[in-house]
Amino acid sequence: MAAECGQQHESDEKQVGDLPEVCLALAIALTSPRDAARCAAVSPAFRAAADSDHVWGRFIPTSRSLPLLQQLPRSNSKAAYLGLCDAGAVVDDGDGGGGGPVRAWLEKATGARCYALSARRLSLPWDDGEFCWRFKPHPLSRRFAEVAELVECTCLDIYGRLPAAALTPATPYAAYLVYGTVEGRRRCLSFPDQEASVAVGGRVVARHAVCLCPDEAEARKFRAGGAVAGGAGAAVRQPRRRDDGWWEMEMGRFRLADDDDKDDATDGEEAVVTANFEVMGWYPKRGLVVEAMEFRPLRG
């Protein structure tokens, strides 16, 4: 009799995997995309719950929480999520007054929102007339139909703007300038008198001395003239070569708290994140090719 009671007690014990699929899905939806993928490997019951539309639909931003995002395919939430991670989507074609397309995608592990503002979307200097820049296709650009090639200008100041509410709250971000140069036409892009900055709601949160095309010989000539970007002894930030063939320069890092879109707003206006690149010297420059300005979460 005691043995039979023990067997009956063991058979009445419930495991987590015995919970209804809807309960498992509700719990997994409170984690992250990375954790959901791990849960799918636990058991068949976990896999069914972890792959459900309820879970992956929670990881896809809504148009209310992501103002620039108007619509997404919803037939299969996991496939839609992975599609946004791999290829992204054009979320604004310029009809809102920005003047050019914006591409958005999600970081696969966390679901954090990423953006690339096309060259058409950026503010570019036109001090030397309408022929300062030439918009044209580029073989390395698979995200946008056109890039901007600098024909020549004396005042080089580029900035991009993004609503703070479009970014994932409480997430560390960095802004990047994505660019290249025209072989044989590059001029005066190697002097270390360049500066990048990031502002949130009009308040500068990062400022760095940078150089798009580092050249030690040019730097020595520049320093011999008595001008050093960012002040004496300032470290000049260097670019890195990306896998897609473009160069990128980190312009600055920032972090938005959950309520920053309210605290940083002025007179009821929506808070904006602005990233700016500027060459301090007024002399002829040419040969820069701007593909985009990106806002991406920092990888921990």
Side-chain angles (χ1 to χ4, degrees), residues 145-221:
E146 295 177 313
V147 302
E149 178 186 327
L150 177 60
V151 178
E152 186 164 307
C153 74
T154 54
C155 174
L156 185 53
D157 186 4
I158 302 170
Y159 70 84
R161 296 160 53 90
L162 189 71
L167 299 169
T168 303
T171 301
Y173 273 88
Y176 303 87
L177 182 67
V178 183
Y179 66 96
T181 58
V182 180
E183 190 68 29
R185 295 199 69 251
R186 189 180 80 191
R187 177 179 179 182
C188 297
L189 299 177
S190 299
F191 299 154
D193 64 338
Q194 305 166 18
E195 185 177 86
S197 62
V198 175
V200 179
R203 178 172 59 90
V204 177
V205 296
R207 190 185 300 276
H208 303 283
V210 300
C211 187
L212 297 186
C213 304
D215 185 310
E216 187 56 36
E218 294 286 356
R220 283 196 298 268
K221 294 178 184 178

Side-chain angles (χ1 to χ4, degrees), residues 5-37:
C5 290
Q7 292 175 357
Q8 180 66 32
H9 176 70
E10 290 177 0
S11 64
D12 291 340
E13 290 182 352
K14 296 294 184 180
Q15 305 295 322
V16 175
D18 295 328
L19 291 171
E21 180 182 317
V22 63
C23 294
L24 289 175
L26 286 171
I28 296 172
L30 298 175
T31 64
S32 68
R34 178 191 284 123
D35 291 332

Side-chain angles (χ1 to χ4, degrees), residues 80-101:
Y81 177 88
L82 295 177
L84 277 176
C85 294
D86 295 335
V90 175
V91 297
D92 194 323
D93 61 2
D95 291 342

Side-chain angles (χ1 to χ4, degrees), residues 36-289:
R38 290 171 175 170
C39 287
V42 172
S43 69
F46 269 82
R47 184 180 305 112
D51 287 345
S52 68
D53 284 345
H54 176 79
V55 171
W56 292 94
R58 287 287 298 272
F59 299 145
I60 296 176
T62 64
S63 58
R64 185 167 62 87
S65 63
L66 184 54
L68 289 177
L69 193 59
Q70 301 301 316
Q71 56 182 318
L72 283 170
R74 294 283 181 170
S75 57
N76 183 306
S77 295
K78 185 175 182 180
Y81 177 88
L82 295 177
L84 277 176
C85 294
D86 295 335
V90 175
V91 297
D92 194 323
D93 61 2
D95 291 342
V102 176
R103 182 165 289 274
W105 68 99
L106 302 178
E107 186 183 52
K108 186 173 292 186
T110 65
R113 306 158 199 162
C114 312
Y115 294 91
L117 311 184
S118 66
R120 283 280 189 187
R121 189 79 174 193
L122 302 177
S123 174
L124 302 174
W126 294 86
D127 65 298
D128 293 329
E130 60 178 322
F131 300 110
C132 287
W133 296 88
R134 178 188 299 119
F135 289 94
K136 56 189 293 187
H138 194 283
L140 292 182
S141 185
R142 298 175 177 86
R143 300 182 294 181
F144 301 113
E146 295 177 313
V147 302
E149 178 186 327
L150 177 60
V151 178
E152 186 164 307
C153 74
T154 54
C155 174
L156 185 53
D157 186 4
I158 302 170
Y159 70 84
R161 296 160 53 90
L162 189 71
L167 299 169
T168 303
T171 301
Y173 273 88
Y176 303 87
L177 182 67
V178 183
Y179 66 96
T181 58
V182 180
E183 190 68 29
R185 295 199 69 251
R186 189 180 80 191
R187 177 179 179 182
C188 297
L189 299 177
S190 299
F191 299 154
D193 64 338
Q194 305 166 18
E195 185 177 86
S197 62
V198 175
V200 179
R203 178 172 59 90
V204 177
V205 296
R207 190 185 300 276
H208 303 283
V210 300
C211 187
L212 297 186
C213 304
D215 185 310
E216 187 56 36
E218 294 286 356
R220 283 196 298 268
K221 294 178 184 178
F222 184 82
R223 294 189 180 98
V228 179
V236 178
R237 181 165 288 185
Q238 306 288 306
R240 79 170 185 92
R241 190 70 174 263
R242 295 160 43 121
D243 293 339
D244 59 8
W246 292 102
W247 289 89
E248 75 172 21
M249 176 65 72
E250 182 182 312
M251 304 173 72
R253 301 182 179 188
F254 61 98
R255 182 186 179 97
L256 299 176
D258 290 335
D259 56 355
D260 266 5
D261 55 331
K262 297 178 182 178
D263 293 343
D264 287 331
T266 302
D267 297 330
E269 296 182 359
E270 184 180 28
V272 173
V273 178
T274 303
N276 180 76
F277 167 79
E278 181 178 5
V279 178
M280 312 306 289
W282 284 60
Y283 43 79
K285 313 163 189 71
R286 64 171 178 250
L288 176 66
V289 178

